[in-house]
Amino acid sequence: MAPVFGPYKARVDALLKQNEQLPRKQQYTSPKIFEIIRTEGYQGCESRIRQHVAEWNRTRKQEVFLPLEFEPGQDAQCDWGEAYVVLGGERKKVQIFTMRLCYSRRTFVTAFPTQKQESFLYGHVLAFNHFGGIPYRISYDNLATAVKMAFDRPKQRGRPPRQEQRAFQSFRSHYLFESHFCTVGLQGAHEKGQVEHGVGFVRRNYLVPLPEVASFEELNQLLKERCLADDERRVSRQPTTIGQAWQEERSALRPLPTFDYDCCEITTARLTPYSQATYETNRYSVPVKRARSAVTVKAYPFHVEILDGTTVLARHPRCYGREQDLFDPFHYLPLLEQRPGAFDHAKPLKKWRRDWPESYHLLLRKLREKWPEGRGIQEFVRVLMLHQDYPSEEVAQAVEQALDLGCIHLDGILHCLHQISTSPTSAPLDLSDRPDLDAVGNQPIDLSRYEQLLKQSW
């Protein structure tokens, strides 16, 4: 007997029965049911509700799945997942893009900062290149980056009609594959169970323990290596390894197009007076000669390009923060040459300045002492401009040589730089086993012959 709970058992059963018509992630839970019946007069404890809900679930008929079989090259499944990694010394959540070929079960995994559409499309491009071809059909959940539910349109056969995103339609037209979206309200495991299981498999086997990486590039290289290692695995009840089955499936895939799809968001922007283009609240610098003109911004998953027509003016790492300034110091050097008085407070140079070798700071001090009133800074800015044409290591070496020689000016540094860049890089030939050749090229010059030639010309 349950004198406290008994009068409320039918009410709890009715709420649990409603769960069968509710979305999986918005069903009544034990705490929610306890909250509801407590407002209706229940005086018992929550643990009794949890016990009844557990008994109810055990007596329900377990969900049954239909076994599926796929032909080579015909089908793939795609999904997103979340995972944690130690990125740049901080624990961060990353978005895991996963695609799996249904026949061979070969899996591709890569990580992005977000699930934005450009990341979604670029994940496909990387997966197709990894597989060496394109499956004829790919199954998805009803991802907002691929499809939108058009509830304002008439339903067809009891389902809300779907409308693919325009960018996704364009992408599919480039790669010529069909899309299949899982039935609304049905758990994805019924129609794309392989990749649903695959996302969990990746978290448990590729990302445990938490990878410690410096960048997304390093993380994705690690994931790629683990995808390749997975080719040696043999799935239960399969006669061959994943890699062997993929070799059989590869020839059945659609061939790759001659060029990859350009996976980016494109918008226009007008440069600020500080020669910056704004995208998603962040400002990216552009060479000052383009100030106050309209430009095109192409946002890729990991970088941003700013263009004038088809000419790329600037390229920056993409920032996913808010209201940040991303500067390339070279964009502002021509302006600093004209306005040397602003040098000490120039924001675009401050981060770069902290990383300069000590020889640069010494050169700057000496140039200021030699040419005050701005000329010394102008000469130093011209030296910094050499980084646009020469490797940084060679410029730093030339600065050190010029300081040692006492030629602390642009021409002196250029002279040292030309000597460094034109000096032979190969080691001298070892002639220790041929002493008879040691003198070749080292014999003294006989100037008497030149004197004879000069006398004859007189």
Side-chain angles (χ1 to χ4, degrees), residues 168-182:
F168 185 61
Q169 288 181 331
S170 174
F171 181 82
R172 286 203 308 105
S173 297
H174 184 79
Y175 286 100
L176 302 177
F177 66 90
E178 295 181 9
S179 58
H180 169 255
F181 297 96
C182 293

Side-chain angles (χ1 to χ4, degrees), residues 212-270:
E212 297 186 19
V213 293
S215 63
F216 271 95
E217 182 179 5
E218 184 180 346
L219 173 60
N220 286 329
Q221 180 60 36
L222 174 66
L223 291 173
K224 181 179 180 180
E225 291 169 1
R226 293 181 177 175
C227 286
L228 293 173
D230 194 51
D231 285 350
E232 302 302 318
R233 182 168 61 93
R234 187 176 72 84
V235 179
S236 176
R237 299 180 181 273
Q238 298 302 311
T240 62
T241 66
I242 290 174
Q244 291 169 339
W246 168 65
Q247 291 295 343
E248 177 185 349
E249 182 174 31
R250 187 175 184 178
S251 60
L253 297 170
R254 281 189 180 277
L256 294 168
T258 55
F259 60 91
D260 291 337
Y261 189 86
D262 200 23
C263 302
C264 63
E265 182 182 10
I266 302 176
T267 186
T268 58
R270 182 165 292 278

Side-chain angles (χ1 to χ4, degrees), residues 396-409:
Q397 187 179 349
V399 169
E400 292 177 1
Q401 287 187 9
L403 288 168
D404 292 340
L405 295 172
C407 51
I408 52 170
H409 46 72

Side-chain angles (χ1 to χ4, degrees), residues 181-202:
F181 297 96
C182 293
T183 305
V184 177
L186 190 66
Q187 293 186 24
H190 286 279
E191 299 181 31
K192 60 179 187 66
Q194 282 196 21
V195 76
E196 292 267 344
H197 166 75
V199 171
F201 179 87
V202 166

Side-chain angles (χ1 to χ4, degrees), residues 261-454:
Y261 189 86
D262 200 23
C263 302
C264 63
E265 182 182 10
I266 302 176
T267 186
T268 58
R270 182 165 292 278
L271 297 188
T272 71
Y274 298 101
S275 192
Q276 293 173 292
T278 303
Y279 177 73
E280 290 186 337
T281 78
N282 299 309
R283 297 182 298 191
Y284 299 86
S285 69
V286 174
V288 293
K289 63 181 180 180
R290 296 296 306 171
R292 299 181 184 275
S293 62
V295 294
T296 300
V297 179
K298 298 178 74 172
Y300 296 86
F302 296 109
H303 72 276
V304 170
E305 289 183 357
I306 302 170
L307 302 90
D308 178 15
T310 59
T311 303
V312 177
L313 303 175
R315 178 186 172 108
H316 293 271
R318 182 165 177 177
C319 177
Y320 284 96
R322 290 187 60 80
E323 298 182 350
Q324 302 296 308
D325 289 316
L326 285 87
F327 294 112
D328 183 338
F330 295 112
H331 294 165
Y332 297 90
L333 292 182
L335 193 59
L336 281 172
E337 185 182 10
Q338 299 172 18
R339 304 172 187 176
F343 181 85
D344 289 328
H345 306 286
K347 188 176 179 180
L349 258 65
K350 287 199 170 182
K351 183 178 179 181
W352 186 30
R353 195 170 181 171
R354 290 195 295 266
D355 299 329
W356 285 345
E358 184 56 36
S359 58
Y360 281 46
H361 299 284
L362 178 58
L363 175 65
L364 177 58
R365 287 196 300 270
K366 288 184 174 293
L367 287 173
R368 279 178 148 167
E369 292 170 2
K370 183 177 180 180
W371 290 311
E373 303 298 330
R375 182 182 170 190
I377 292 178
Q378 289 176 321
E379 191 76 357
F380 183 73
V381 169
R382 295 185 190 110
V383 172
L384 293 179
M385 290 180 179
L386 296 175
H387 282 268
Q388 299 178 68
D389 301 313
Y390 297 92
S392 297
E393 297 80 8
E394 292 185 5
V395 177
Q397 187 179 349
V399 169
E400 292 177 1
Q401 287 187 9
L403 288 168
D404 292 340
L405 295 172
C407 51
I408 52 170
H409 46 72
L410 178 63
D411 290 339
I413 294 170
L414 270 173
H415 174 73
C416 295
L417 194 54
H418 290 157
Q419 284 189 322
I420 293 169
S421 60
T422 57
S423 60
T425 56
S426 57
L429 187 63
D430 183 11
L431 296 174
S432 58
D433 59 337
R434 294 293 304 274
D436 55 310
L437 298 178
D438 278 347
V440 175
N442 296 319
Q443 61 269 37
I445 299 174
D446 183 5
L447 297 178
S448 61
R449 296 184 179 181
Y450 292 96
E451 292 175 356
Q452 291 176 3
L453 180 61
L454 290 173

